[in-house]
Amino acid sequence: MSKPAAPLKGRAARLARLMPSTGPSTAARTPFVLLVVLLLGGGLITLLLLNSALNEGSFRLSELKRDTTELTDEQQALQRDVDSRSQPDALERRARELGMVPGGSPAFLNPDGTVRGNPTEATAPPPSPTPSPSAGTPAAGAPAGPSGSTPPSGSVPATVPATEPDPATAPAAESTPPPTSPGR
């Protein structure tokens, strides 16, 4: 069958005696293969964890952007309400509903206690002839309420506590509910 290998001579024989060859050695390769497999597995697990963390951060970022958009919209709606209620005609209408009257010319106190200017009592103008839609209007001889006419001469006007107007007589613009965002 096969003939035995010829004996080695010279230098090859000496090397063969120093390093005996018993076939391919798998014992030396096993630690290297395990090290490579562990490094590759560890790298894949690290990439998976890193990718999960980035996705979680991305979801949180999109949620915060959505919340910011909702809050910005709500802030703009509130600012529009403030702007509409801060207009001079709206302030005047609301002041009249609360029973306030125009003040007239101002008078000032000097540091020494003297009065500069001519102080006068604020009087309400005569009520407008427009009919009121409410059924609870006072009779012709009844005294006027907080937004009525002036008190009798010689008397000091009483301070009337500010109350909210009747919802039935409030204008439609004032009865709109404030804007709300869902889930809040």
Side-chain angles (χ1 to χ4, degrees):
M1 316 254 163
S2 72
K3 49 183 180 170
L8 299 172
K9 297 183 181 185
R11 189 176 183 143
R14 281 186 306 217
L15 285 175
R17 276 182 292 178
L18 290 176
M19 295 181 12
S21 174
T22 59
S25 173
T26 58
R29 288 188 196 171
T30 304
F32 177 73
V33 170
L34 286 177
L35 178 67
V36 169
V37 168
L38 287 176
L39 287 176
L40 287 175
L44 288 175
I45 290 173
T46 304
L47 284 176
L48 179 65
L49 292 175
L50 182 63
N51 192 19
S52 297
L54 289 176
N55 283 339
E56 182 181 337
S58 146
F59 286 131
R60 179 78 176 133
L61 180 65
S62 64
E63 180 182 321
L64 289 175
K65 282 183 180 179
R66 182 177 36 86
D67 289 348
T68 300
T69 303
E70 288 177 6
L71 291 174
T72 301
D73 291 345
E74 185 177 351
Q75 187 262 342
Q76 289 174 352
L78 291 173
Q79 187 62 45
R80 278 194 305 271
D81 287 348
V82 167
D83 290 344
S84 68
R85 292 175 191 232
S86 297
Q87 294 174 350
D89 58 339
L91 288 174
E92 179 184 10
R93 183 181 70 246
R94 183 74 176 132
R96 289 193 189 278
E97 288 174 0
L98 293 173
M100 297 178 163
V101 295
S105 62
F108 301 97
L109 290 176
N110 291 325
D112 61 356
T114 59
V115 179
R116 185 175 69 195
N118 185 15
T120 58
E121 181 179 329
T123 58
S128 62
T130 58
S132 173
S134 67
T137 56
S147 61
S149 62
T150 60
S153 62
S155 68
V156 177
T159 304
V160 178
T163 60
E164 288 296 318
D166 184 21
T169 61
E174 294 290 321
S175 65
T176 58
T180 59
S181 61
R184 301 207 185 236

